[in-house]
Amino acid sequence: MAALRLFILLSIVAIAKSQPPNPINQTDLQIAMSDMRTWSYHGFVILLKILNGSLHDREITFLMPSDEELSKVALSLDHLQDYILSHSIPSALLLSHLLHFPNGTLVPSGVTNRMLSIENGGRSSLFFNNARLVTPNVCINSLIKCHGISTSITFDNSATTAVPLHRSLPTPRLFDSTKTLSRTKSSPAIHRKRTPTRL
């Protein structure tokens, strides 16, 4: 059953990824940015404003580090779009959708060849690579969805200069469909670095 659910969810994401890019609806973006400001994700709003309409997925989910975490990132204008897209999923996903992904699922980010490994320990322990979901469903009033995460997402094959200045966490294991049902936790080294935060 889990394998079938995984196939269906990955098919949805793959279909969304294969659609020709449509310009992001500016009204939806403005509504989403208003929701972000309400939850104090001002830094992410500023980055979206700097991009000024260069995003092309109408339905998208942003994974937003806090302003404090964004201040730790060395980021140039040349790599701003890659940074934003690497912190996104090209499909509109609420927390209820994300919780259906089996532990260890790989989903594409908005940047080609950058995958997000989902470690699903439930609502209070949902990770995208090294970043834990801390504020779910920030953007709920438009087609654009967004969630607050604990830190900038790191990738083992990252090609941009947008690298957090603090020490990175170990890269999670790649998804192995033969071990989906038996895998319930990631490595102890990763768990030691996580600190619980109330949602």
Side-chain angles (χ1 to χ4, degrees), residues 106-139:
L106 287 175
V107 296
S109 73
V111 175
T112 306
N113 298 327
R114 290 211 190 149
M115 302 296 286
L116 296 166
S117 174
I118 295 180
E119 296 293 332
N120 189 350
R123 182 183 179 97
S124 62
S125 186
L126 182 64
F127 284 78
F128 305 91
N129 292 3
N130 61 302
R132 185 168 54 84
L133 180 79
V134 292
T135 312
N137 297 336
V138 171
C139 304

Coordinates of all heavy atoms in Angstrom, one line a residue, residues 106-139:
L106 N 11.8 10.9 -2.1 CA 12.5 12.0 -2.7 C 11.5 12.7 -3.6 O 10.8 12.1 -4.5 CB 13.6 11.4 -3.6 CG 14.9 10.9 -2.9 CD1 15.9 10.3 -3.8 CD2 15.5 12.0 -2.1
V107 N 11.5 14.0 -3.5 CA 10.6 14.9 -4.4 C 11.5 15.9 -5.0 O 12.5 16.4 -4.4 CB 9.5 15.5 -3.6 CG1 8.5 14.5 -3.1 CG2 9.9 16.4 -2.5
P108 N 11.2 16.3 -6.2 CA 12.1 17.4 -6.8 C 11.8 18.7 -6.2 O 10.7 19.1 -5.9 CB 11.6 17.3 -8.3 CG 10.2 16.8 -8.2 CD 10.1 15.9 -7.1
S109 N 12.9 19.5 -6.1 CA 12.8 20.9 -5.8 C 12.5 21.6 -7.1 O 12.4 21.0 -8.1 CB 14.0 21.4 -5.1 OG 15.1 21.5 -6.0
G110 N 12.5 22.9 -7.0 CA 12.3 23.7 -8.2 C 13.6 23.9 -9.1 O 13.6 24.5 -10.1
V111 N 14.7 23.3 -8.6 CA 15.9 23.3 -9.4 C 16.2 21.9 -9.9 O 16.2 20.9 -9.1 CB 17.1 23.8 -8.5 CG1 18.4 23.7 -9.2 CG2 16.8 25.2 -8.0
T112 N 16.5 21.8 -11.2 CA 16.8 20.5 -11.7 C 18.0 19.8 -11.0 O 19.0 20.4 -10.6 CB 17.2 20.7 -13.2 OG1 16.2 21.4 -13.9 CG2 17.4 19.3 -13.9
N113 N 17.8 18.5 -10.8 CA 18.8 17.7 -10.1 C 19.0 18.0 -8.6 O 20.0 17.5 -8.0 CB 20.2 17.7 -10.8 CG 20.1 17.2 -12.3 OD1 19.3 16.3 -12.5 ND2 20.8 17.8 -13.1
R114 N 18.1 18.7 -8.0 CA 18.2 18.9 -6.6 C 16.9 18.3 -6.0 O 15.8 18.8 -6.1 CB 18.3 20.4 -6.2 CG 19.6 20.9 -6.6 CD 20.0 22.0 -5.7 NE 21.1 22.7 -6.2 CZ 21.4 24.0 -6.1 NH1 20.6 24.7 -5.3 NH2 22.5 24.5 -6.6
M115 N 17.1 17.2 -5.3 CA 16.0 16.5 -4.7 C 15.9 16.8 -3.2 O 16.9 17.0 -2.5 CB 16.2 15.0 -4.9 CG 16.4 14.6 -6.4 SD 14.9 14.9 -7.3 CE 13.8 13.6 -6.8
L116 N 14.7 16.8 -2.7 CA 14.4 16.9 -1.3 C 14.0 15.5 -0.8 O 13.1 14.9 -1.2 CB 13.2 17.9 -1.1 CG 13.4 19.3 -1.6 CD1 12.1 20.1 -1.6 CD2 14.4 20.0 -0.6
S117 N 14.7 15.1 0.2 CA 14.5 13.8 0.9 C 13.5 14.1 2.1 O 13.9 14.9 3.0 CB 15.8 13.2 1.4 OG 15.5 12.0 2.2
I118 N 12.4 13.5 2.1 CA 11.4 13.8 3.2 C 11.6 12.7 4.2 O 11.5 11.5 4.0 CB 10.0 13.8 2.6 CG1 9.8 15.0 1.7 CG2 9.0 13.8 3.8 CD1 8.4 15.1 1.1
E119 N 11.9 13.1 5.4 CA 11.9 12.3 6.6 C 10.6 12.6 7.4 O 10.5 13.6 8.0 CB 13.1 12.5 7.5 CG 14.5 12.2 6.8 CD 14.7 10.7 6.5 OE1 14.1 9.9 7.3 OE2 15.4 10.4 5.5
N120 N 9.7 11.6 7.3 CA 8.4 11.9 7.9 C 8.2 11.2 9.2 O 7.9 10.0 9.3 CB 7.3 11.4 6.9 CG 5.9 11.8 7.3 OD1 5.7 12.3 8.4 ND2 5.0 11.6 6.4
G121 N 8.4 11.9 10.3 CA 8.1 11.4 11.6 C 6.8 12.0 12.2 O 6.7 12.0 13.4
G122 N 6.0 12.5 11.3 CA 4.7 13.0 11.8 C 4.8 14.5 11.8 O 5.8 15.2 11.5
R123 N 3.7 15.2 12.3 CA 3.5 16.6 12.2 C 4.7 17.3 12.9 O 5.1 18.4 12.5 CB 2.2 17.0 12.9 CG 1.9 18.4 12.9 CD 0.6 18.7 13.6 NE 0.3 20.1 13.7 CZ -0.4 20.8 12.8 NH1 -1.0 20.1 11.9 NH2 -0.6 22.1 12.9
S124 N 5.2 16.8 14.0 CA 6.2 17.5 14.8 C 7.6 17.1 14.4 O 8.6 17.6 15.0 CB 6.0 17.3 16.3 OG 6.2 15.9 16.6
S125 N 7.8 16.2 13.4 CA 9.1 15.8 13.0 C 9.1 15.5 11.5 O 9.4 14.3 11.1 CB 9.5 14.5 13.8 OG 10.8 14.1 13.5
L126 N 8.8 16.5 10.7 CA 8.8 16.4 9.3 C 10.0 17.2 8.7 O 10.1 18.4 9.0 CB 7.5 16.9 8.7 CG 7.3 16.8 7.2 CD1 7.3 15.3 6.7 CD2 6.0 17.5 6.8
F127 N 10.9 16.5 8.0 CA 12.2 17.1 7.6 C 12.2 17.1 6.0 O 11.8 16.2 5.4 CB 13.4 16.4 8.1 CG 13.7 16.7 9.5 CD1 13.0 16.1 10.5 CD2 14.7 17.6 9.9 CE1 13.2 16.3 11.9 CE2 15.0 17.8 11.2 CZ 14.2 17.2 12.2
F128 N 12.8 18.2 5.5 CA 13.2 18.3 4.1 C 14.7 18.4 4.1 O 15.3 19.4 4.4 CB 12.6 19.5 3.4 CG 11.1 19.6 3.6 CD1 10.5 20.2 4.7 CD2 10.3 19.0 2.7 CE1 9.1 20.3 4.8 CE2 8.9 19.0 2.8 CZ 8.3 19.7 3.9
N129 N 15.4 17.3 3.7 CA 16.9 17.2 3.9 C 17.2 17.5 5.3 O 16.8 16.8 6.2 CB 17.6 18.1 2.9 CG 17.4 17.6 1.4 OD1 16.7 16.6 1.2 ND2 18.1 18.3 0.5
N130 N 17.9 18.6 5.6 CA 18.3 18.9 7.0 C 17.3 19.8 7.7 O 17.5 20.1 8.9 CB 19.7 19.6 6.9 CG 19.6 20.9 6.1 OD1 19.2 20.8 5.0 ND2 20.0 22.0 6.7
A131 N 16.3 20.3 7.0 CA 15.5 21.4 7.6 C 14.2 20.8 8.1 O 13.5 20.1 7.4 CB 15.2 22.5 6.5
R132 N 13.8 21.1 9.3 CA 12.6 20.7 9.9 C 11.5 21.6 9.7 O 11.6 22.9 9.8 CB 12.8 20.5 11.4 CG 11.6 19.8 12.1 CD 11.9 19.4 13.5 NE 12.5 20.4 14.3 CZ 11.8 21.4 15.0 NH1 10.5 21.3 14.9 NH2 12.4 22.3 15.7
L133 N 10.3 21.1 9.4 CA 9.1 21.9 9.3 C 8.7 22.5 10.7 O 8.6 21.7 11.6 CB 7.9 21.1 8.8 CG 6.6 21.9 8.6 CD1 6.6 22.7 7.3 CD2 5.4 20.9 8.6
V134 N 8.7 23.8 10.8 CA 8.3 24.4 12.1 C 7.0 25.2 12.1 O 6.4 25.3 13.2 CB 9.5 25.3 12.6 CG1 10.7 24.5 13.0 CG2 9.9 26.4 11.6
T135 N 6.6 25.7 11.0 CA 5.4 26.5 10.9 C 4.6 26.1 9.6 O 4.9 26.6 8.6 CB 5.7 28.0 10.8 OG1 6.6 28.4 11.8 CG2 4.4 28.8 11.0
P136 N 3.7 25.1 9.8 CA 3.0 24.6 8.6 C 1.9 25.6 8.2 O 1.4 26.4 9.0 CB 2.4 23.3 9.1 CG 2.2 23.5 10.6 CD 3.4 24.4 11.0
N137 N 1.6 25.5 6.9 CA 0.4 26.2 6.3 C 0.4 27.7 6.6 O -0.6 28.3 7.0 CB -0.9 25.5 6.9 CG -1.1 24.1 6.4 OD1 -0.5 23.7 5.4 ND2 -1.8 23.3 7.2
V138 N 1.5 28.3 6.3 CA 1.6 29.8 6.5 C 0.8 30.4 5.4 O 0.0 31.4 5.6 CB 3.1 30.3 6.4 CG1 3.2 31.8 6.3 CG2 3.9 29.7 7.6
C139 N 0.9 29.9 4.1 CA 0.2 30.5 3.0 C -1.0 29.6 2.7 O -0.8 28.5 2.2 CB 1.0 30.6 1.8 SG 2.5 31.6 2.0

